[in-house]
């Protein structure tokens, strides 16, 4: 059973990101403040949930949260500042949109940077321990998936509606065949090195 809160503060927000390991599309983060009355038996780390369950949870979270926000950080910015900094920036931008302002931040993972004067705690596997981080992981994933579905219409040959920009064999085969698009992260190794053995 996931816990509601880490701190004693009333307005505690959880934050998480999705799409860090993708070759195309943005890294997307969300931040969520849940009320102390919030309960949900299904909510968990978004990676443990089916797409159907995530889509059911999204409006429940958005309706019941005290505040929520999400942010896309796009490929050009990822290429300039690297994926770790882009992930942290996406989380920070989401937190800054929250109204009311949170009094404490819990972050999925082990890296974050101070944001204004708000105290924070990084929690490894936080999305499977705390409801607000799990809620943020669901919103980050569903909003990112919706964006990938949209750009799939423009470049259907990469099948982003299915692979969401992750480095699947099919995605890499399409990059090999058609080359990278404007949505691909140029700082990432889009194709593994081809090794040929002379036998």
């Amino acid at each position: 059973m996931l816990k509601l809160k880490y701190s004693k503060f009333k307005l505690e927000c959880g934050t998480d990101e999705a799409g860090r390991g993708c070759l195309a599309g943005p890294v997307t983060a969300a931040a969520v403040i849940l009320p102390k009355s919030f309960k949900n038996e299904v909510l968990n780390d978004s990676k443990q949930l089916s797409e159907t369950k995530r889509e059911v949870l999204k409006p429940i979270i958005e309706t019941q949260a005290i505040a929520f926000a999400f942010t896309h950080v796009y490929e050009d910015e990822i290429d300039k500042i690297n994926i770790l900094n882009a992930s942290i920036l996406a989380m920070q931008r989401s937190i800054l949109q929250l109204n009311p302002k949170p009094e404490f931040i819990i972050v999925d993972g082990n890296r974050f940077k101070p944001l204004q004067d708000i105290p924070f705690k990084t929690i490894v596997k936080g999305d499977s321990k705390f409801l607000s981080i799990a809620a943020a992981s669901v919103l980050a994933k569903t909003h990112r998936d919706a964006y990938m579905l949209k750009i799939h219409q423009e470049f259907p040959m990469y099948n982003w509606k299915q692979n969401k920009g992750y480095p699947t064999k099919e995605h890499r085969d399409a990059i090999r065949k058609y080359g990278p698009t404007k949505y691909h992260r140029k700082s990432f190794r889009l194709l593994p090195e081809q090794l040929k053995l002379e036998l």
Side-chain angles (χ1 to χ4, degrees):
M1 186 72 181
L2 276 65
K3 294 182 196 150
L4 183 67
K5 293 179 73 183
Y6 172 86
S7 73
K8 63 183 187 303
F9 294 96
K10 185 181 160 208
L11 294 175
E12 176 180 280
C13 89
T15 186
D16 197 5
E17 50 69 33
R20 215 169 131 169
C22 294
L23 303 178
V27 62
T28 304
V32 180
I33 301 174
L34 293 173
K36 68 170 190 262
S37 59
F38 185 86
K39 286 187 177 65
N40 192 290
E41 298 296 320
V42 180
L43 182 57
N44 201 336
D45 163 17
S46 65
K47 294 183 286 300
Q48 308 297 325
L49 299 169
S50 66
E51 188 168 351
T52 308
K53 281 186 179 162
R54 289 194 298 265
E55 291 299 336
V56 168
L57 284 165
K58 178 175 174 276
I60 294 170
I61 294 162
E62 294 184 347
T63 308
Q64 295 186 22
I66 291 170
F68 75 90
F70 71 92
T71 305
H72 299 304
V73 170
Y74 296 97
E75 315 73 40
D76 53 346
E77 206 163 2
I78 293 170
D79 289 339
K80 278 193 199 107
I81 64 175
N82 83 40
I83 188 62
L84 174 65
N85 287 325
S87 301
I88 293 170
L89 186 62
M91 290 192 272
Q92 290 185 329
R93 284 179 180 166
S94 298
I95 294 162
L96 289 172
Q97 291 178 64
L98 296 176
N99 185 13
K101 177 182 170 178
E103 300 166 303
F104 195 85
I105 303 163
I106 51 175
V107 183
D108 183 58
N110 61 359
R111 304 292 286 276
F112 195 65
K113 292 176 183 171
L115 182 63
Q116 296 179 345
D117 55 348
I118 312 169
F120 68 88
K121 171 76 178 166
T122 56
I123 302 166
V124 175
K125 294 198 169 26
D127 50 7
S128 57
K129 294 173 184 169
F130 291 93
L131 284 167
S132 61
I133 300 181
S137 82
V138 167
L139 295 192
K141 176 77 176 133
T142 50
H143 282 287
R144 187 181 186 280
D145 284 359
Y147 177 85
M148 295 308 291
L149 194 58
K150 198 171 75 184
I151 63 171
H152 167 85
Q153 316 300 328
E154 206 178 331
F155 293 100
M157 63 282 258
Y158 299 91
N159 201 15
W160 289 330
K161 72 171 183 201
Q162 193 74 43
N163 63 52
K164 308 299 192 288
Y166 281 93
T168 60
K169 181 181 183 302
E170 174 193 44
H171 188 186
R172 284 197 147 132
D173 286 347
I175 296 169
R176 206 172 272 117
K177 186 170 178 184
Y178 302 105
T181 66
K182 61 186 178 183
Y183 297 113
H184 281 97
R185 302 173 184 177
K186 309 300 185 285
S187 58
F188 278 46
R189 190 198 293 172
L190 298 177
L191 294 172
E193 270 98 37
Q194 304 298 296
L195 295 175
K196 284 195 174 144
L197 293 175
E198 300 296 329
L199 296 174

